[in-house]
Amino acid sequence: MPQEQPNAGVKMYNLIILLVDVVVMLVRWIFYTLESIYLLVVPRTPEDVSKDVVLVTGAGHGIGRCLAQQYAQLGATVVCLDINEKMNQETVSLIKGQRGNAFGYVCDVTNRQQIIDTAKTIKEQVGVVTILINNAGIMPTHPLLLQTEGEIRKTFEINVLAHFWMLQTYLPDMIQKNRGHIVALSSIAGLVGLNNLVPYCGSKYAVRGIMEALFEEIRQDPRKPQIFLTSVYPYMVDTGLCKKPHMRFQNLMRLVKPEEAAAAIIEGQRRRQEDVSIPKYLLYLNTFVRMFPLKAANLLRDFLDSGVESDL
């Protein structure tokens, strides 16, 4: 038998529903756009973090140490994680010397079982982690054909896979508590490809993808958990990773101090910003430039002439 076709009334009803959906979507689209513009001018009030347990990976030096110190100054309980026990303990001692509350744990973030075991200890001794800062990372800096298999694997184990293990370990308690914030350190190298940084760029693009997909999973979770995500895209930070930076306009494109980077990250987290670039204009510049042909974008890239030389 031929399939029965919907009558004119049903077709009209479906058309009206479709038109209503389109109008509602456009109205909300305009509202959210205006809201975003408003928040650029009048940012959200920073959240109080004094009751939070903040875990920072790679807390033994650089941005991680600065993050740990600055969160402690805001009254948060800070958990410092690093594979280097000596440097990690130095961070903890610095915080305690400033009358902050800090705990240190040695952990290899590439070792999933070690992450799980350490998390159990942290939960017992400190409490549920409510702010997770995935900061640990490495950056071998030389041409792809000179990168060893070990370097490439280690880059992805630390810069990418560790994010999965940390998320799978700490996110369940955040969801159960219905409170949490996850911050992931990507990079300007997660927005644009850079010479001498092919594996590193790949790893940082991956972090960006992980966070965008995780945001979508949380957004569609029927439980509507109060979990917030912030992805961070710093320019070259003066932590020692950028061994041979070069820049044509040193005042415009200078190395970012780790203290400045940490302050910007914490501000973005406390204001619940989804994306934070350091300096702020980088995200907008990247979005603008990508509206043009690649050859045109390369003209600007060559004009700015900013990047890193091989460390070999």
Side-chain angles (χ1 to χ4, degrees), residues 16-282:
I16 291 172
I17 293 297
L18 177 61
L19 290 174
V20 170
D21 285 345
V22 169
V23 170
V24 170
M25 182 188 70
L26 290 175
V27 169
R28 295 178 71 182
W29 186 299
I30 293 169
F31 171 78
Y32 291 140
T33 301
L34 293 175
E35 179 188 50
S36 179
I37 294 171
Y38 174 78
L39 289 174
L40 284 175
V41 181
V42 185
R44 294 186 183 93
T45 302
E47 295 284 323
D48 178 19
V49 295
S50 62
K51 296 180 181 179
D52 283 290
V53 175
V54 182
L55 187 152
V56 183
T57 66
H61 69 290
I63 297 175
R65 174 172 287 182
C66 293
L67 283 166
Q69 288 181 290
Q70 291 183 27
Y71 269 114
Q73 289 166 4
L74 291 169
T77 298
V78 179
V79 177
C80 300
L81 234 63
D82 204 292
I83 196 170
N84 188 313
E85 183 175 8
K86 181 176 180 294
M87 296 180 70
N88 199 47
Q89 190 54 48
E90 286 176 2
T91 301
V92 173
S93 298
L94 285 170
I95 292 171
K96 289 184 175 180
Q98 298 168 347
R99 298 185 178 180
N101 194 18
F103 299 82
Y105 298 88
V106 176
C107 184
D108 178 358
V109 294
T110 69
N111 187 323
R112 187 174 186 272
Q113 189 57 52
Q114 195 174 127
I115 288 173
I116 293 170
D117 293 341
T118 304
K120 290 179 181 177
T121 304
I122 291 170
K123 187 175 180 180
E124 292 171 358
Q125 297 181 351
V126 184
V128 173
V129 171
T130 52
I131 299 177
L132 171 63
I133 315 287
N134 281 321
N135 163 74
I138 61 170
M139 190 176 75
T141 310
H142 32 274
L144 174 62
L145 298 183
L146 297 179
Q147 298 252 0
T148 67
E149 178 186 352
E151 286 176 321
I152 295 171
R153 288 186 181 278
K154 191 173 182 180
T155 296
F156 275 80
E157 285 175 356
I158 296 175
N159 294 7
V160 181
L161 295 181
H163 285 257
F164 291 116
W165 314 147
M166 295 295 290
L167 290 169
Q168 288 184 332
T169 301
Y170 289 97
L171 187 55
D173 278 342
M174 291 184 183
I175 292 174
Q176 185 176 16
K177 195 178 179 68
N178 198 32
R179 178 185 174 193
H181 201 127
I182 296 163
V183 179
L185 269 289
S186 182
S187 167
I188 183 62
L191 297 174
V192 296
L194 296 170
N195 190 34
N196 292 316
L197 291 174
V198 174
Y200 182 77
C201 286
S203 72
K204 292 304 182 178
Y205 267 86
V207 171
R208 179 181 174 187
I210 290 167
M211 291 294 280
E212 288 187 4
L214 179 60
F215 174 87
E216 192 62 16
E217 281 200 2
I218 292 173
R219 188 178 75 87
Q220 295 194 29
D221 190 322
R223 294 170 295 182
K224 303 299 179 185
Q226 292 297 297
I227 309 297
F228 302 94
L229 307 181
T230 298
S231 299
V232 184
Y233 306 95
Y235 179 63
M236 292 183 289
V237 182
D238 190 11
T239 61
L241 283 180
C242 295
K243 296 179 176 64
K244 295 183 179 180
H246 68 83
M247 55 211 70
R248 181 178 182 183
F249 303 102
Q250 296 195 11
N251 290 331
L252 178 65
M253 307 289 287
R254 67 177 178 82
L255 289 181
V256 178
K257 294 184 181 300
E259 296 84 1
E260 295 174 11
I265 293 166
I266 293 172
E267 180 183 7
Q269 180 270 309
R270 294 180 67 203
R271 295 187 189 276
R272 293 183 178 175
Q273 294 175 337
E274 290 84 8
D275 297 290
V276 175
S277 67
I278 309 167
K280 289 184 178 180
Y281 67 81
L282 286 179

